[in-house]
Amino acid sequence: MKLRLVSDLSDFSRGHWLRELLYRGEEPSHVQSSPDGQHLLLLQKSRPPTLPRVVAFQRHSIAGADLERSWQPPQPALVGLLFLQSPVVLGSWVLAVVWEHGRTEVWHFVVAVGWQLLQTLELCQGARARVVSVCSQGASLVWCEERPPLGAHPDMSKCAFRFCVCARALEAGEQGVRLGTVRIILHNSPEYQVLASPQHVFLVPAAAGFATTSKFLLIWHPDKAKLVITAPSAGFVHSKVLHSSSESDFRKLLLGSVGLLSGFAPLDIHTSSVSSAGGLLLVSTKGSVSVVEPDGTQRHIFDLEGGPLAQGSPVQLKTFGSILACVLAGVLYLIDQNSGRLIEKEVLSVKEVHFLESQGEEDSIQLLTQTGIYSFSFSKPEDRPEPCLVEMVFEEACRYYQRRSLSSSKLTVEKLKKGGTFQAPVVLAALLQHSLHQKQKPARGLQDTYAKLLSTMSLELQSYMSLELLKTCLVCAPESEVESYCKELVEQEVSRILQSDMDKDNLAYLNSVFASFPKAAWKATRSCLQLQQNGDGLLVARATPEVWKKVLCQPQLEEVGQNGMVPLFELICASFLKFKPKWLPSFVELTQQYVSNSWSYSSKEGPEGRVPLYKRALGVLARKNKHGEADDDMELELLLCSKRPKAVLQALHLLIRLKRWQRVVEVAEKFSKLSPLLNKEIFTTLLAEFAQHRELDPYLDRLWPLCPAELTASDILNMVLQHLPHSQEDPVPFSSEGNQLTVGLLKPLLQRVLQRPSVQEEMYSDGLQSPTFPPPAPPREH
């Protein structure tokens, strides 16, 4: 793809003058084409000895006078050159030249006659008003003007909110030009630069604005009379319909959002422009290019090379369909706005270039330079950018083959397409291109060898295409239908990811889905795992083993915590805690049952090889902001559902700390049956508590049967003596408090132990209890 010379400026009237102007280095500060592409307007600022002037060059040398306007320095500066549509004559347009003090000249071009001054108008109502920025929106003018108050302080910075954003219809007909009434969009505001798209007007804070008001943008919707507040780093903030001019006060507009806006970082804007699709293109001082949509959402597109941008370095931006053209320091970047992919990078021989309107040539980009007009052409089908889905196929294939490759060389999309060994992505891309039915070019016939494969993949392809269609519907849906679309979309996305490889990218994507749509993600999880209660009230799941492995997989330690990334098991546990906390212990128990059936107890390959599942669930519980009584109950249930000895003892100590003695005894009776060792630990723990206070006295008849067989009376007495509370006073035979341990309380346990046969007696019990002793003598032999 190379630059092609379209014109050496000879097709302009007085073309030699235009070439001479550019060759002398008198670069115009502003270049603009008329809507029909036949006229070129150049604005030159004051550069002695040349006076500031506006010059219009006409193409194809049609007879008629060219427009040339210059002015002396005492006259106010020129603010804008705007082409406005004429509502009276279809397809007609007029040129409005707006000066700083509000005076506006309206010009019209007539074939064979030339430029004619239709009328001179006064845009502003106040004599002291000063226009700082102006744009055209349809057949209306929108501008920001400064209104200094009477008797203002000499230091104008103390009069912070002295600007006003206004709109006024301008109708040009056969009877002349008529200005409509002034419509106040915003008053008592800071200084804004106004930029118009076909349906909206963006209000960008001026570079010299205050730090408090330069953290957000405003978007005016003329058809709805609505102002939207958006902070590009945070998205949509607030919107308000302006029913009357009294509601358009800047300070009243921000009254409910001051606290939220105060936490945002100031805007970082080096250059701003409006794209052909109606979005606001922003270039930061770091070279990052992003677009702000009319609904307030921001999307990153591309990062320019070269590091931080200086304040004086110009950046030219222009969109041609889905292609974003950007010129910085003599380098032309062509970027696909949909995918952010760099299509072409060309080093130009000149640094000063200006984009022109390519009338009738949607697939070409035209540049005005000192030597002429050059063009980039995208007329060939193979030069067109591929659909986003096809690009995704090749990029995903690159990642897949890179993981399997033993070579250290980086695999690129270009190598993948050219190499003959990677047939799968090429075949899939051909199937997608055949099925997409692009409108911009006719679908090419599919090869016969792929037809059978297409019939096999038709259901999967339809599912994938319906998912992409659903995403499109979600973007374009009204607010009332967004929730239902989100629910369906999230369910399909969660189901799709659980059927694919759970790599780092998919896990990060799931994290963003659960964070953005928590309720929809919870319902999608229930659906994918088929979680429900049976007739007995127990939680059951009918997920496949492949889905269980995705749920229970634990990423490497170095991957956890990157950008707040959380494993899927923890994401699901957090959803349980938020929407169905009673089900969480049962869910952990279900996962443990699957683990015990699939992996051995000590297998390091299984999900419990590093951190047990109940501890992972407890970690989710610990990350909650507030900890209440319900969280203590949840911690207790999670410990008990694991049925691990350490967890059971930890739960027992938690119950003792909470002084829930009835539950303490119930847990002791239930879990003492699991193993003799655990039984001994539980009993010794409760015996130590019994020695210290009298809270367990009502439950002694249930506690003493838990005594292990190997404990003797001396063992019990030693343990009781070790845990007796230390009194601060001299012991007395009979305490007035009545809370000391007595022999009478311990007597039933000691009797129970002493009446039990000893271990040595049991060893000889079989011999002692034989029917005859000593055994009879063998019969004698005769």
Side-chain angles (χ1 to χ4, degrees), residues 504 507 511 555-567:
K504 186 170 63 175
L507 185 58
N511 273 258
Q556 298 297 326
L557 294 176
E558 60 269 13
E559 296 179 359
V560 179
Q562 290 184 356
N563 298 323
M565 193 168 63
V566 177

Side-chain angles (χ1 to χ4, degrees), residues 351-519:
K351 291 189 176 182
E352 294 292 338
V353 296
H354 300 276
F355 291 109
L356 300 180
E357 295 289 342
S358 303
Q359 191 66 21
E361 301 179 10
E362 297 180 355
D363 49 7
S364 66
I365 299 174
Q366 292 193 355
L367 304 169
L368 173 66
T369 68
Q370 296 177 356
T371 57
I373 298 176
Y374 291 85
S375 173
F376 267 109
S377 179
F378 293 93
S379 57
K380 296 181 181 180
E382 57 268 19
D383 288 341
R384 291 177 181 269
E386 292 175 322
C388 294
L389 289 179
V390 178
E391 292 177 7
M392 287 171 58
V393 168
F394 286 109
E395 291 172 0
E396 185 69 25
C398 275
R399 287 197 291 267
Y400 174 74
Y401 287 122
Q402 191 73 50
R403 286 200 303 267
R404 296 183 57 187
S405 175
L406 299 177
S407 174
S408 59
S409 62
K410 182 70 174 177
L411 182 63
T412 62
V413 175
E414 289 74 16
K415 293 181 182 177
L416 195 68
K417 291 178 181 178
K418 294 177 182 178
T421 57
F422 306 105
Q423 288 297 314
V426 178
V427 173
L428 183 56
L431 293 177
L432 281 175
Q433 283 180 331
H434 178 79
S435 304
L436 285 175
H437 298 296
Q438 294 173 281
K439 296 180 180 179
Q440 62 264 30
K441 61 180 180 182
R444 292 174 289 180
L446 191 66
Q447 298 181 21
D448 294 336
T449 54
Y450 298 162
K452 185 177 180 180
L453 182 60
L454 177 60
S455 62
T456 307
M457 294 180 57
S458 59
L459 293 177
E460 293 292 336
L461 198 57
Q462 289 176 10
S463 175
Y464 196 68
M465 294 301 299
S466 64
L467 181 60
E468 294 300 319
L469 180 62
L470 180 60
K471 292 179 181 178
T472 306
C473 294
L474 176 62
V475 173
C476 305
E479 294 183 6
S480 58
E481 301 176 7
V482 167
E483 185 175 356
S484 61
Y485 278 123
C486 282
K487 179 182 176 182
E488 184 179 354
L489 177 61
V490 169
E491 183 170 346
Q492 291 193 29
E493 286 286 75
V494 172
S495 175
R496 178 181 67 84
I497 293 178
L498 287 180
Q499 294 173 4
S500 59
D501 294 335
M502 188 57 67
D503 56 7
K504 186 170 63 175
D505 294 335
N506 281 338
L507 185 58
Y509 179 54
L510 270 181
N511 273 258
S512 65
V513 169
F514 273 78
S516 303
F517 310 101
K519 191 172 183 180

Side-chain angles (χ1 to χ4, degrees), residues 69-205:
R69 289 282 286 114
S70 61
W71 61 97
Q72 297 291 337
Q75 186 172 347
L78 186 67
V79 179
L81 299 169
L82 307 171
F83 289 102
L84 286 87
Q85 302 171 0
S86 176
V88 180
V89 183
L90 185 63
S92 179
W93 49 268
V94 295
L95 171 64
V97 184
V98 183
W99 309 87
E100 190 180 50
H101 59 327
R103 181 166 298 171
T104 303
E105 295 180 358
V106 182
W107 293 78
H108 181 56
F109 182 80
V110 181
V111 180
V113 177
W115 289 94
Q116 291 183 334
L117 178 62
L118 294 182
Q119 200 166 342
T120 301
L121 307 166
E122 293 295 335
L123 195 61
C124 304
Q125 290 181 328
R128 304 175 72 244
R130 183 178 68 90
V131 179
V132 294
S133 177
V134 65
C135 66
S136 60
Q137 212 277 327
S140 300
L141 290 174
V142 182
W143 72 94
C144 177
E145 66 177 44
E146 182 183 12
R147 292 184 175 180
L150 293 175
H153 195 276
D155 185 5
M156 295 304 292
S157 62
K158 297 185 180 301
C159 307
F161 305 101
R162 63 183 186 276
F163 293 87
C164 182
V165 181
C166 310
R168 202 168 188 180
L170 191 148
E171 298 179 2
E174 298 178 356
Q175 305 300 324
V177 182
R178 187 177 67 85
L179 274 175
T181 57
V182 177
R183 180 181 180 184
I184 297 178
I185 302 171
L186 198 64
H187 61 85
N188 294 332
S189 74
E191 182 181 353
Y192 279 106
Q193 178 190 6
V194 290
L195 299 167
S197 71
Q199 270 55 20
H200 313 87
V201 177
F202 295 93
L203 279 63
V204 182

Side-chain angles (χ1 to χ4, degrees), residues 152-336:
H153 195 276
D155 185 5
M156 295 304 292
S157 62
K158 297 185 180 301
C159 307
F161 305 101
R162 63 183 186 276
F163 293 87
C164 182
V165 181
C166 310
R168 202 168 188 180
L170 191 148
E171 298 179 2
E174 298 178 356
Q175 305 300 324
V177 182
R178 187 177 67 85
L179 274 175
T181 57
V182 177
R183 180 181 180 184
I184 297 178
I185 302 171
L186 198 64
H187 61 85
N188 294 332
S189 74
E191 182 181 353
Y192 279 106
Q193 178 190 6
V194 290
L195 299 167
S197 71
Q199 270 55 20
H200 313 87
V201 177
F202 295 93
L203 279 63
V204 182
F210 292 84
T212 54
T213 59
S214 61
K215 297 181 178 182
F216 55 90
L217 305 171
L218 298 178
I219 307 173
W220 180 48
H221 298 248
D223 54 342
K224 301 177 183 178
K226 182 174 72 172
L227 267 175
V228 173
I229 306 174
T230 176
S233 60
F236 171 83
V237 176
H238 178 62
S239 67
K240 183 177 182 181
V241 178
L242 308 177
H243 297 287
S244 61
S245 59
S246 61
E247 297 183 358
S248 60
D249 186 85
F250 177 78
R251 286 166 289 194
K252 292 182 180 179
L253 179 69
L254 299 182
L255 194 59
S257 309
V258 173
L260 180 62
L261 293 172
S262 62
F264 296 154
L267 297 175
D268 182 13
I269 300 177
H270 179 276
T271 306
S272 57
S273 178
V274 178
S275 68
S276 57
L280 177 64
L281 295 169
L282 298 178
V283 181
S284 70
T285 56
K286 298 177 182 177
S288 175
V289 183
S290 58
V291 60
V292 179
E293 302 295 345
D295 60 356
T297 58
Q298 185 190 27
R299 180 170 59 88
H300 176 264
I301 298 179
F302 189 73
D303 289 323
L304 299 174
E305 299 175 357
L309 305 180
Q311 191 65 33
S313 58
V315 179
Q316 299 283 342
L317 297 173
K318 185 73 175 177
T319 55
F320 299 86
S322 63
I323 306 299
L324 169 63
C326 179
V327 174
L328 171 63
V331 181
L332 172 64
Y333 299 88
L334 299 182
I335 305 157
D336 185 358

